[in-house]
Each structure stands twice: as C-alpha cells, then as structure tokens.
Amino acid sequence: MAASQEPAGKDAPAQESATAAEAPAGATKKKRTAPSFSLAQGRTALAQVIWILCLVAATSLAVAALCIAVDANQNNGLVTLVLDLARFFDLGVFTIDDGIMAFTGDNADTKNALVNYGLGAAFYLVLGRVLERLVRP
C-alpha cells in the first residue's frame, strides 16, 4: 500500500489543472497581489525620464538652429515655439547673441545659431547619456 502512494508534489499539479478545467471561464480563484515597484525599476524609470528631457532639449536646439539657417517664417506658431524652447534650453551659455563663439560679418546670425545651438545640443546629448548611465542600476 505504501508503494502505490505518490508524493504530494507530483499529485498536486494534476489536481489543480483538473479543478481549473472544471471551473467556469471567469471563475478562477487566483490571489491578487499589489504590483511591486522595486528600487531598480524606479531608477530605470528616472534614467529614462532624464534621457528623454535631455533629448528634447538637444532636439529643440538643433531644430531652432535649422529654422534660423533656412530663414524660417518666425510668425509661424511652430517656429516660434521651437525658438522659445531653444532660448529656454540655451542656459545663457549657448545663446545666439552672446554665446561661446560670436561671429561677425556676412551670415553672422546663421553661423552663431549653428555653432552655439549645435554645441548646446551636443552638450545635452552627452549630459543626458552620462546622467542616464549614472542613475540606471
């Protein structure tokens, strides 16, 4: 009689699957637990937010430089938005008027925008990648 008994570990899964098959469709009895949010997941999410913000800053500076280079219509709402974002993200260091490099002469505005906003965009990309790597677990 002892030889015919199987360990409880082998028998239990067969019984669970049989009861699950007999139960009506929607009447499963699973315990619901609250989703856990670990520190690693929080750091990963924060790293993604940092990277996205730096990417938005770099993109706005690059697109603003392009708008100035092609002499886009500054009365257009989208162009005005991009230029305002670029002025916000230039940190007073990468400005067109008093930036890192100041050109004079022909096409000085275009050169100032391309160089200073280009340097600002590169700065944000490097900063974003470094911060993202430091924060991510």
Side-chain angles (χ1 to χ4, degrees), residues 13-91:
Q15 288 177 352
E16 287 180 53
S17 63
T19 57
E22 294 170 2
T28 58
K29 295 182 180 180
K30 291 183 181 179
K31 251 187 195 180
R32 292 190 181 213
T33 58
S36 62
F37 192 73
S38 68
L39 181 62
Q41 289 172 330
R43 288 178 60 188
T44 300
L46 179 63
Q48 289 173 344
V49 168
I50 290 170
W51 173 243
I52 289 171
L53 288 176
C54 288
L55 194 60
V56 166
T59 303
S60 67
L61 287 170
V63 171
L66 179 66
C67 287
I68 292 171
V70 298
D71 198 26
N73 179 11
Q74 294 190 7
N75 293 328
N76 185 316
L78 185 60
V79 174
T80 304
L81 174 69
V82 168
L83 293 175
D84 289 342
L85 279 173
R87 284 186 203 99
F88 176 76
F89 287 122
D90 70 11
L91 301 175

